[in-house]
Amino acid sequence: MSEAPDGYRIDVTSPSGEDTLVAAIDAHELLDRLPSLEAAVLGSAARSRSIGTGMELPAIEVGGTLFDSVFQSGIKALYLSSRQKAQERGRRLRMILRVRSPELAALPWELLYDEKLGGYLCLHHPVIRHVEMLEPVAPLRVEPPLRILGMVSLPGSLTPLEAETEREGLTTALKPLIDEGRVWLDWVAGGTKQDLFNALFAGCHIFHFIGHGKFDDQRRQGMLVFSDEQGRESPLHAEALGSLISVADPSPRLVVLNSCETGTSHARDLFSSTAAKLEYTVPAVVAMQFAVTDKAAVLFSRAFYQALAANRPVDEAVRTGRIALRADKDDSLECFTPVLYQRSGDARLFDFTSLRKPTPPLTVVEQIKGEEQGARTDRPTEPSHVSPPPKSVSPPLKAPSPDLTPTPGIDTGHWVVSMAVHPSGRLLATGSRKLVRVWDVITGQPTWERRLGGWSTMVNALAFSPHGDSLAIGSTDNLARVWEMTAGATPLTFTHRHFVNTVAYDGSGRLLATGSADATACVWDLGSRSRVLSLRHARAVKALAFSPDGRRLLTGSEDKSAYIWDTETGRQEARIEHGDFVLGVAFSPDGRTVATCSQDHTAQVSDTQTWTPLFRVEHKGGLRAVAFSPDSSMIATGSEDGAVCLWRADTGQSVLALRYNRSVNAVAFSPDGRFLVSGGEDKVVHSVRVPEADR
């Protein structure tokens, strides 16, 4: 769901097909109803049946309005058909909400209601708020026991909670697994931020917080309220909380916030709620969008963990918790208070039945061979529209042809998460979930293909070697691979401790740089297969690029800065600051400037002699990619708002502006500079001619 000229664009993908409509949702009118709605939720938990039934009307009205706005004609038919298909297969339909508009994200979608379909949808199937990030969840490899860390923090000045009752309920729900030695439950010894910091160093897989939460309207950000050493309130905003949780090793895969208003967001900031902010640190967060009573917190927590212990996915565990609340008092509205935020495609975060020691990951070639021999009988079924891998062919290594004209659009059938253009200009590579493909740009047909294992493994990065004879791949299985572009070749593999977000060759093709969510950038010698340089960052490395002479490495990080490093000594030469994550970087081919782009909606061009900024350009959404033209005269930018823009590299003057329907994740120029290529979530690689006057 995203903004459109006449309302909000609703794009639906389902097992029964796809559809799109523009809905006229009066988001601000619905937001004005939230205070009275929250009062009704709390009142329904305490009032008698006759009064409580009347108080349910605001929830039915809001839920009905949301349903009628979205589930119109074709979309409603898709919903009914998909639900029927799920039932026929003995499964439960999952409703995943990808909300791009901040004011829509602040609405209580868990209240979706239609009387003819059985009332509230969230009681019939899970409703998940999917946070749009390019990092899915790496497979959890955990050696028993599964570690759960609980914390109670109750400053003396705030209303007391039934914390001990909830602690006992959590312990009771998990006792069977605790007795078997498969789950370990511990509690933070104290209620201060320092107590949590100390406890996190031991690591955990689930963090469960019992206490108070608030929403800071001035900073437009959620927060938890801890105690200080004197028992007074000591708030911690969501962004800082995420940084604190990140010190855990192993890091939590799930955070449960049994606190008021931890799921509340600001209508002008999509990621303002405590839960959504934590998605940068953990893959799944359960939070509360309204104030929650003590009894409801206890009941929900017990049922939620009982469902997890029964090996149910986290989204189904949340639905189970809702039903427990509804069953306890069937006119209570508190069952709509919990919210599930998730960036994983698979809601089964843990496997309680088969926890085992991790095994080294197979290379993709080994896995493919194993599948062909029937060794892996449990691999996921591939979608029917994906064809078998074509026969591998070696790409042409000749210089780009001046007469080469690519097809305007290649429908890849998948989100284009990463992209690279071959030095010949005749081929380009795309990366998506589990799949790498190389395409002939003239025919639009695939010529080379590799599949990666794992349900949600994402191909985050691609780079062709300078001579075009190999392709480097970075992915969320913590590996970087280098494939020779020949039939039957086995890739070189290089391992990080977390997702590999970015890869780049130096000009000679002898060195490969990799950047990872483990906060390091590494340089590898491809001849000896050894690591020759490791550069530590404060947070995940999202982008990197060598200078044309290979003497410098430019990196971009989630710590809101880009860095320039000497590749001989590893010394940091300069730092370029942004207001948010730096997601794209590029050196100009002439080596005189660098470009950096950020989630702060801007791209900046800086001089490589003084590292001073020359100019900035701005989009309406966060920038995902930036690239220089081969002659260094222009830069291209791609944004999550669907825009692809072309700018003069000396002045920042706009040359060309294009708009697509979905987020743009990658931009590049053809080797001769005549075409601008882009790819993103509309699944199409677009090629447009660069205006003649600007080449």
Side-chain angles (χ1 to χ4, degrees), residues 19 115 126 279 319 405 411 423 560 599 603:
D19 199 0
E115 184 176 4
E279 282 293 294
R319 191 184 76 90
T405 300
D411 187 353
K560 306 179 183 180
Q599 190 66 30

Side-chain angles (χ1 to χ4, degrees), residues 395-437:
L397 302 181
K398 61 184 180 181
S401 169
D403 299 324
L404 191 153
T405 300
T407 182
I410 299 175
D411 187 353
T412 69
H414 303 266
W415 277 15
V416 178
V417 177
S418 52
M419 184 183 71
V421 175
H422 191 269
S424 70
R426 180 64 187 266
L427 303 174
L428 67 83
T430 58
S432 57
R433 183 174 64 86
K434 296 176 57 177
L435 187 63
V436 182
R437 275 180 171 165

Side-chain angles (χ1 to χ4, degrees), residues 21 52 62 141 222 271 311 325 330 338 434 445 517 617 648 679:
L21 65 82
V62 171
R141 300 180 178 94
F271 291 99
N311 204 31
L325 292 174
D330 63 11
K434 296 176 57 177
Q445 296 301 310
V617 297
R648 287 181 58 92

